[in-house]
Amino acid sequence: MANVTSFYLSRVIGNRVYSEDRKVLGRLLDLIVDAKNIRPKVIAAKIKSGKGIQIVDFSFFAIYKEKGQYVIETRSLKPIEVQKEDTIMLVKHILDKQIVDINGRKVVRVNDIRLAVLSTGVYVIAVDIGLEGLLRRLGLAKPVKKILKPLGKSIPSKLILWDDVEPLASPRLDLKLSTTYSKLSTLHPSDLADIIEELDKKTQAYVFSALDEEKAADVLEELDVEAQRNVLENLPVEKVADVLEKMPADEVADILDEIKEERAEELLNEMEKEASEEVKELMEYPENTVGSIMTTDFISFKTHFTVEQTIQELRRLKPEPDEIYYLYVVDNEERLCGVVSLRDLVISEPQTPLYEIMSRDVVYVKDMDNVNSLVEIISKYSLLAVPVVDDQKKLIGVVIINDIVYELLKVRKKLA
């Protein structure tokens, strides 16, 4: 018998398990690995014996190669308890399942799994997503290689290191991204949204439910309408409501417009009252009006604020980049009075009041104006955002250029 340094999962699953004196003890059904480690170590084996299905300690096992076949031997079938939240079953959760290729930012299917035998144990090192892995499991890899060799051809091999993949299946559905999908957390929300869109509906909801609320909110904004609808209609109301509360009210309004009215009402009732009422107000605006696409997440300052006070407030609020394209100035009645650029704010003396450096010639739109009016204003004045006022000229929102472009694309899609 020859010792092996590595092997494929498909070559040992289903094989007999022998005692040291070569008595058949059962058959290997699965290998269980410790998922907490960067390099998952095999800690248990699932076997079928005369006593039924057993989970046994893998530290007593050894794998050899004899006459081209893999032999599994064990000194003991010692039962072992494994923590489901910390382990992965290679056959049940990985083989033939979808995983994420982190570097390629795409979903792939696992055809086989490569394991390495070291002095400290057996470890998962890579997954095979190529044709060779599939042929190997069918027992056709060697015959096909022999046929192709005289032709100077070979079967394309595609191995991805375990470090570069993220499984999409787990024994528990309540694991958070920090433990279950730590590698996915490194992806941009747009890339993660693309990956989720490739999954089946059940897995879409499963992966999304494991994201923390902040990440989930960013990803939900990037998902296409169909994936948004699936996630919102199939996850618990409490989970979805918590995510929606992390999003800008205008984005929430747009998303809720795409799902069933009863479900939307259910989610609004679950959200915090203030956030819910803000979204409801936006949803009441007729389609194609400025109010229907404006965001109510904006920053304004009173005319008497000094430059120093304004900068201190900005540091405290830590606004998103698109919230500080321009700094709007309002009076005590919240009426729009002027606008200050970041440049003017930075170069002015700290004690200078805003009313001395603001521009009073502010371009604005009203909430009931047609969306088309925004296109002309944006292009004419080269603006990145436009303030929105009501009939009393009170500042009630802002429309940023991204939302205008998105609205135009929606209109174009409808006309196509």
Side-chain angles (χ1 to χ4, degrees), residues 8-13 15 65 68-70 112 136 142:
Y8 284 100
L9 183 67
S10 63
R11 300 300 300 274
V12 298
I13 292 299
N15 288 10
K65 203 169 185 182
Q69 300 299 317
Y70 287 88
D112 211 342
R136 187 185 306 114
K142 286 186 177 180

Side-chain angles (χ1 to χ4, degrees), residues 136-151:
R136 187 185 306 114
R137 291 172 60 187
L138 296 172
L140 298 175
K142 286 186 177 180
V144 171
K145 282 182 179 179
K146 287 181 180 179
I147 295 172
L148 294 177
K149 189 173 182 179
L151 303 175

Side-chain angles (χ1 to χ4, degrees), residues 287-293 365-366 368-380 399 404 407-409 411-412 415:
E287 192 175 0
N288 296 325
T289 60
V290 170
S292 68
I293 67 168
V365 291
K366 290 186 176 181
M368 294 304 292
D369 288 349
N370 192 285
V371 170
N372 293 331
S373 63
L374 286 167
V375 180
E376 184 180 346
I377 290 172
I378 289 284
S379 58
K380 182 177 180 179
V399 178
I404 298 171
E407 192 66 23
L408 291 174
L409 290 174
V411 172
R412 179 174 292 183
L415 295 175

Side-chain angles (χ1 to χ4, degrees), residues 27-30 32 44-48 53-55 89:
R27 285 189 180 275
L28 181 66
L29 300 180
D30 210 337
I32 302 169
K46 180 180 179 181
I47 69 166
K48 184 177 182 180
I53 305 297
Q54 293 179 278
I55 304 296
M89 301 179 76

Side-chain angles (χ1 to χ4, degrees), residues 176 208-213 216 235-243:
K176 295 296 180 186
F208 188 86
S209 69
L211 303 176
D212 63 63
E213 291 167 9
L235 287 180
V237 174
E238 299 80 6
K239 165 72 177 180
V240 177
D242 289 341
V243 171

Side-chain angles (χ1 to χ4, degrees), residues 30-61:
D30 210 337
L31 293 178
I32 302 169
V33 300
D34 183 351
K36 297 194 301 297
N37 297 327
I38 296 175
R39 187 80 66 214
K41 179 181 180 181
V42 180
I43 58 172
K46 180 180 179 181
I47 69 166
K48 184 177 182 180
S49 67
K51 297 180 181 179
I53 305 297
Q54 293 179 278
I55 304 296
V56 296
D57 191 338
F58 191 77
S59 62
F60 295 101
F61 279 60

Side-chain angles (χ1 to χ4, degrees), residues 156-345:
S157 178
K158 188 67 183 292
L159 291 176
I160 303 178
L161 292 177
W162 184 263
D163 297 5
D164 298 327
V165 303
E166 187 75 271
L168 292 176
S170 170
R172 283 178 56 186
L173 299 179
D174 59 346
L175 294 181
K176 295 296 180 186
L177 184 65
S178 58
T179 55
T180 317
Y181 298 131
S182 56
K183 296 171 191 172
L184 290 183
S185 67
T186 63
L187 296 178
H188 188 279
S190 181
D191 291 326
L192 189 46
D194 289 341
I195 287 168
I196 290 176
E197 287 167 7
E198 291 183 49
L199 306 174
D200 59 82
K201 289 185 176 181
K202 182 179 179 181
T203 312
Q204 279 182 353
Y206 168 69
V207 173
F208 188 86
S209 69
L211 303 176
D212 63 63
E213 291 167 9
E214 295 286 351
K215 190 75 172 184
D218 292 338
V219 171
L220 187 59
E221 289 185 45
E222 300 290 342
L223 289 174
D224 62 28
V225 173
E226 186 178 348
Q228 284 179 340
R229 189 182 297 122
N230 176 56
V231 166
L232 266 60
E233 292 183 352
N234 289 288
L235 287 180
V237 174
E238 299 80 6
K239 165 72 177 180
V240 177
D242 289 341
V243 171
L244 295 178
E245 287 169 2
K246 301 289 184 182
M247 298 171 60
D250 61 314
E251 295 285 352
V252 177
D254 288 342
I255 290 172
L256 295 185
D257 274 336
E258 299 292 341
I259 65 175
K260 295 175 182 177
E261 190 174 336
E262 300 81 9
R263 180 65 169 180
E265 191 65 33
E266 194 176 6
L267 291 169
L268 286 168
N269 290 336
E270 183 65 29
M271 292 171 66
E272 292 181 2
K273 186 177 181 182
E274 185 179 348
S276 177
E277 288 179 351
E278 198 174 340
V279 173
K280 286 178 181 177
E281 287 178 12
L282 292 175
M283 293 180 71
E284 288 173 0
Y285 280 104
E287 192 175 0
N288 296 325
T289 60
V290 170
S292 68
I293 67 168
M294 72 178 181
T295 176
T296 52
D297 291 330
F298 63 90
I299 300 173
S300 63
F301 300 92
K302 294 293 192 290
T303 53
H304 63 269
F305 261 49
T306 64
V307 167
E308 185 177 22
Q309 287 175 318
T310 303
I311 292 175
Q312 287 177 350
E313 184 67 3
L314 287 172
R315 286 172 179 161
R316 185 185 69 82
L317 294 172
K318 297 178 176 60
E320 295 294 325
D322 56 13
E323 291 178 348
I324 53 171
Y325 286 142
Y326 310 104
L327 305 179
Y328 299 108
V329 185
V330 297
D331 61 18
N332 291 331
E333 303 298 324
E334 300 298 328
R335 289 189 295 263
L336 182 64
C337 299
V339 61
V340 176
S341 69
L342 284 175
R343 176 189 176 279
D344 289 340
L345 191 72

